[in-house]
Amino acid sequence: MGVNSAFSDEELLAGVRRGDSAALSDLAEKYSPLISSLVAGYLVPGVTDGELRAEALTSLDRAARTYETGRGIKFGLYAKICMDRALRRYVDTARKQAHAELSEADGIVTPSAESGLISRETGDETMRNIRALLSDYEYSVLLLHMQGYSTDEISARLSRDKKSVDNAKARIFRRLRENRDMFPV
């Protein structure tokens, strides 16, 4: 399944359920504008764009596997709801962790320096773990993908064939899915 394929959501969902990483990559590419829009709405101090995009992509994968046709809702809306809820939970959890470390001074609640440091360290640790899983090329593809670049744009930026980028994305998604336990919550 190529990125510019004419596959419908239903065909892509069937591919995802069969374990076809290219189908998941195509689905992520198709819904990239929605992901970018949702992520932009949840950017808060202490939570990185990359963390939010990873959460959104994981949620898109989960939505693709749990979506049921015939329930009166199109996949796009279902995916949006799932990703929105996942991002909200992620940000709420981050805020609760930061709130637990708040210090009160003169009745004013201010985040502790440790709170920001812990969030930054968690993000850094996540990126180090991801970096260890991927080749240099795959890591470059992931970083550009997380910044919202399309497969065509990544292909042009890295001077690589679109199929190469598509295959790299498929490997990335598979490795991230297989190694979820490496990432701190």
Side-chain angles (χ1 to χ4, degrees):
M1 295 186 180
V3 172
N4 293 321
S5 67
F7 290 104
S8 67
D9 280 356
E10 290 76 22
E11 292 168 315
L12 292 172
L13 296 174
V16 170
R17 290 182 185 129
R18 284 191 313 270
D20 181 355
S21 296
L24 180 58
S25 180
D26 285 354
L27 198 62
E29 179 80 22
K30 182 175 184 176
Y31 285 95
S32 181
L34 174 61
I35 291 169
S36 294
S37 173
L38 288 170
V39 164
Y42 282 101
L43 284 173
V44 296
V47 178
T48 68
D49 178 80
E51 291 171 319
L52 293 174
R53 284 185 183 278
E55 187 65 26
L57 290 171
T58 301
S59 180
L60 180 65
D61 178 37
R62 194 175 314 115
R65 294 173 190 281
T66 60
Y67 176 72
E68 297 175 18
T69 56
R71 295 191 72 183
I73 184 171
K74 292 189 178 201
F75 175 74
L77 179 57
Y78 179 76
K80 180 180 179 180
I81 291 168
C82 290
M83 288 187 289
D84 187 59
R85 287 179 180 167
L87 291 170
R88 182 177 301 126
R89 277 192 306 270
Y90 188 86
V91 169
D92 286 348
T93 299
R95 284 182 176 157
K96 285 177 186 171
Q97 287 173 345
H99 187 270
E101 298 169 4
L102 294 177
S103 61
E104 289 190 30
D106 298 326
I108 299 172
V109 178
T110 56
S112 67
E114 293 141 4
S115 170
L117 182 60
I118 290 170
S119 292
R120 193 172 320 112
E121 285 176 353
T122 300
D124 291 346
E125 180 182 352
T126 299
M127 291 311 289
R128 277 192 304 272
N129 288 342
I130 290 172
R131 179 68 189 99
L133 286 174
L134 306 176
S135 70
D136 292 341
Y137 174 61
E138 290 166 341
Y139 190 68
S140 297
V141 169
L142 176 64
L143 291 177
L144 291 170
H145 180 76
M146 289 170 50
Q147 293 172 29
Y149 289 99
S150 70
T151 297
D152 290 336
E153 293 167 325
I154 295 169
S155 173
R157 282 177 154 289
L158 298 179
S159 301
R160 298 291 282 265
D161 183 64
K162 287 187 276 189
K163 187 64 178 172
S164 173
V165 173
D166 191 43
N167 288 337
K169 284 174 145 182
R171 289 190 306 273
I172 291 163
F173 288 126
R174 186 185 72 244
R175 287 187 187 139
L176 292 177
R177 213 175 24 253
E178 291 171 351
N179 294 284
R180 282 186 181 134
D181 59 322
M182 288 180 64
F183 308 108
V185 177

